[in-house]
């Protein structure tokens, strides 16, 4: 990878990491000083908090129109509304199953190795109990008033409303209608705005973490490092344990050896580019070399680049577990089940829309920490940026492996042996 390509792929992540480390250092050497009576003698690095607050407010303001226009436009402008067919159904089902497996496995890891080991006194808002299942279903689909729909605190109902709006656009001319073109243009405009705001992100995170460490101490740095190391290690464990099992299920013992002989290229490409989409050509190449039927790869791999996100599913569990630890909440029972459901939903259903990752993080914090969003959202966002390389590696390399499973259901469990036999027959004929 050339220097220019390296900076293009990792420049923003490096800037974010440098800003976070610098903020933590400033907060550590310039802490809040309090007297014996609890009064504040020196505010320390908390004077830099407005830098972070500015970024948070900008993101909160742009996320609602971004979600509404992007989802509505994506559905309204689809060329073909019919998503039937054996390959498509199997592909989507497989995405959900592997995402669920990844989320459950990483939840177990979080129970064995908690990401947060220290106690923090966070006072903003009050943390309430998890809502009941019936109320959760009501809140998932609706709000009490139309004006409440366009709020960052009603993200799930907004997504549902956006889906209905998209189908409405599709039924009235789709991409050729005036409304369809308007929504498509508005999506592009808003994503340009998000890109402009993102340029300010390192400064915002510098101020946010300087204030956070100055207030809650350097223990927070240790917990961040613990969470990152756990995630990076488990991504490689997941890839070398789960992927062979998926390959065996899809292609038998032969599938395992074929998968390992081709896995390195898409994994390295994904890790190096931090882009599932950029890995599609490599995935197409190795899938063809592996003998996966072309009609399977033509559907599975492009869809997988936007919908198959095992790494993102695990990262959602990491963010929730980390925030539960920060806020001193119990991460078991109904909360754990709800977190796993949202993790799978956000990784599969929302990763394909522009800004889907940020929306997924916002859904997580609105469901569990509605009164602590100003603290919870930037923490989740920072974690998401720092674990992007291994998450993308698992996401994109997993697309290639999943094509084995889909091929089994569409071409029979001996598909890989048939392809090998055909290849040998062709070699003899030539």
């Amino acid at each position: 990878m050339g220097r220019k390509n390296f900076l293009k792929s990792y420049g923003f992540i490096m800037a974010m990491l440098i800003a976070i480390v610098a903020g933590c250092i400033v907060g550590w050497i310039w802490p809040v000083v309090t007297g014996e009576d609890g009064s504040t003698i020196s505010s320390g690095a908390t004077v830099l908090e407005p830098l972070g607050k500015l970024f948070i407010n900008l993101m909160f303001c742009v996320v609602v129109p971004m979600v509404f226009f992007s989802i509505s436009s994506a559905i309204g402008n689809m060329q073909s509304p019919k998503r039937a067919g054996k390959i498509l159904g199997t592909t989507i089902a497989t995405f959900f199953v592997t995402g669920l497996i990844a989320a459950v496995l990483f939840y177990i890891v979080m129970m064995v190795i908690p990401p947060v080991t220290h106690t923090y006194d966070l006072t903003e808002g009050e943390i309430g109990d998890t809502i009941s299942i019936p109320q959760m279903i009501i809140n998932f689909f609706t709000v009490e008033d139309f004006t409440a729909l366009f709020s960052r605190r009603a993200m799930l109902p907004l997504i549902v409303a956006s889906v209905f709006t998209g189908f409405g656009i599709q039924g009235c001319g789709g991409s050729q209608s005036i409304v369809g073109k308007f929504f498509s243009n508005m999506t592009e405009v808003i994503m340009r705005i998000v890109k402009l705001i993102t340029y300010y992100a390192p400064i915002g995170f510098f101020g946010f973490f300087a204030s956070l460490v100055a207030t809650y101490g350097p223990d927070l740095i240790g917990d961040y490092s613990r969470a990152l190391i756990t995630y990076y290690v488990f991504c490689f464990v997941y890839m070398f344990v789960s992927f062979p099992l998926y390959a065996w299920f899809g292609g038998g013992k032969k599938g395992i050896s074929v998968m390992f002989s081709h896995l390195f290229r898409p994994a390295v490409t994904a890790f190096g580019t931090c882009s599932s989409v950029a890995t599609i050509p490599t995935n197409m190449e190795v899938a063809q070399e592996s003998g996966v039927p072309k009609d399977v790869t033509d559907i599975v791999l492009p869809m997988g680049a936007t919908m198959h996100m095992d790494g993102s599913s695990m990262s959602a569990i990491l963010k929730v577990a980390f925030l539960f630890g920060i806020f001193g909440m119990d991460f078991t029972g109904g909360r754990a089940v709800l977190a796993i459901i949202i993790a799978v939903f956000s990784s599969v259903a929302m990763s394909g829309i522009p800004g889907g990752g940020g929306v997924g993080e916002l859904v997580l914090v609105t469901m569990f920490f509605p009164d602590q969003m100003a603290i919870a959202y930037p923490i989740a966002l920072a974690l998401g940026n720092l674990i992007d390389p291994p998450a993308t590696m698992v996401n994109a390399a997993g697309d290639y492996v999943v094509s084995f499973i889909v091929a089994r259901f569409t071409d029979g469990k001996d598909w890989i042996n048939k392809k090998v036999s055909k290849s040998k027959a062709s070699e003899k004929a030539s």
Side-chain angles (χ1 to χ4, degrees):
M1 181 186 297
R3 182 179 179 183
K4 185 176 181 181
N5 291 333
F6 177 84
L7 291 176
K8 184 178 180 181
S9 300
Y10 286 97
F12 179 74
I13 296 176
M14 291 175 61
M16 287 283 293
L17 187 60
I18 292 171
I20 291 173
V21 171
C24 291
I25 293 174
V26 170
W28 180 63
I29 63 177
W30 193 18
V32 173
V33 179
T34 57
E36 295 181 358
D37 58 352
S39 61
T40 301
I41 299 175
S42 172
S43 298
T46 59
V47 297
L48 301 174
E49 184 180 11
L51 295 176
K53 193 72 173 179
L54 177 60
F55 172 72
I56 295 168
N57 288 346
L58 288 171
M59 291 298 292
F60 281 161
C61 288
V62 78
V63 71
V64 171
M66 178 186 72
V67 170
F68 178 67
F69 283 109
S70 62
I71 296 180
S72 299
S73 175
I75 296 175
N77 293 330
M78 282 193 305
Q79 297 299 319
S80 175
K82 296 180 180 179
R83 292 186 169 270
K86 193 174 184 180
I87 295 177
L88 188 61
T90 304
T91 298
I92 295 175
T94 304
F95 289 170
F96 273 102
V97 171
T98 59
L100 179 62
I101 292 173
V104 172
L105 288 177
F106 199 72
Y107 170 76
I108 296 173
V109 172
M110 291 291 92
M111 292 297 96
V112 177
I113 310 175
V116 176
T117 58
H118 299 92
T119 303
Y120 302 93
D121 183 20
L122 301 176
T123 58
E124 181 183 336
E126 296 181 358
I127 303 174
D129 295 329
T130 303
I131 58 177
S132 64
I133 298 298
Q135 189 62 43
M136 181 189 73
I137 296 174
I138 294 173
N139 292 348
F140 185 94
F141 290 105
T142 62
V143 290
E144 295 181 354
D145 189 82
F146 178 77
T147 56
L149 188 65
F150 295 94
S151 168
R152 60 185 170 87
R153 299 183 183 275
M155 197 53 57
L156 287 175
L158 177 62
I159 291 171
V160 174
S162 301
V163 170
F164 278 103
T165 302
F167 281 115
I169 295 172
Q170 190 182 92
C172 296
S175 60
Q176 300 304 314
S177 66
I178 296 176
V179 177
K181 293 178 180 178
F182 171 74
F183 271 59
S184 180
N185 289 337
M186 281 302 301
T187 300
E188 294 180 9
V189 169
I190 292 172
M191 294 313 299
R192 291 292 182 95
I193 295 173
V194 172
K195 187 174 182 179
L196 292 174
I197 295 174
T198 303
Y199 288 133
Y200 176 74
I203 299 175
F205 276 93
F206 167 76
F208 176 79
F209 277 90
S211 175
L212 203 62
V213 173
T215 305
Y216 303 111
D219 288 343
L220 188 66
I221 303 174
D223 285 328
Y224 250 94
S225 301
R226 180 185 176 91
L228 292 176
I229 292 172
T230 301
Y231 184 84
Y232 270 74
V233 171
F234 187 76
C235 277
F236 284 93
V237 172
Y238 180 82
M239 190 167 67
F240 286 105
V241 174
S242 296
F243 283 8
L245 292 176
Y246 296 155
W248 171 81
F249 180 77
K253 293 182 179 179
K254 185 70 175 178
I256 298 176
S257 59
V258 170
M259 183 272 293
F260 269 125
S261 65
H262 294 87
L263 183 65
F264 181 75
R265 273 186 284 166
V268 170
T269 302
F271 196 94
T273 62
C274 293
S275 171
S276 294
V277 174
T279 312
I280 291 177
T282 304
N283 271 336
M284 288 283 192
E285 185 180 7
V286 296
Q288 183 179 3
E289 294 173 1
S290 303
V292 180
K294 188 177 184 302
D295 57 350
V296 172
T297 60
D298 287 346
I299 292 177
V300 174
L301 299 180
M303 285 185 61
T306 56
M307 291 183 64
H308 183 230
M309 303 287 175
D310 291 0
S312 300
S313 183
M314 292 189 293
S315 73
I317 296 298
L318 173 67
K319 294 163 192 171
V320 175
F322 190 88
L323 290 170
F324 269 53
I326 289 290
F327 291 112
M329 299 169 64
D330 180 49
F331 190 31
T332 58
R335 288 172 174 167
V337 174
L338 180 58
I340 291 172
I341 292 173
I342 295 177
V344 176
F345 173 75
S346 63
S347 63
V348 175
M350 291 192 297
S351 295
I353 66 169
V359 174
E361 288 153 356
L362 194 57
V363 168
L364 290 173
V365 299
T366 53
M367 288 297 296
F368 294 107
F369 317 102
D371 297 320
Q372 291 79 30
M373 289 181 66
I375 295 176
Y377 183 62
I379 289 176
L381 203 59
L383 279 173
N385 285 319
L386 295 175
I387 62 178
D388 190 39
T392 306
M393 177 186 67
V394 172
N395 292 341
D399 297 341
Y400 160 65
V401 180
V402 162
S403 67
F404 284 35
I405 298 176
V406 178
R408 170 182 174 163
F409 284 101
T410 56
D411 290 62
K413 60 182 180 180
D414 293 327
W415 65 270
I416 194 166
N417 293 322
K418 294 176 183 177
K419 290 294 180 181
V420 171
S421 299
K422 286 183 179 180
S423 299
K424 290 182 178 178
S426 298
E427 290 176 2
K428 288 181 179 180
S430 61

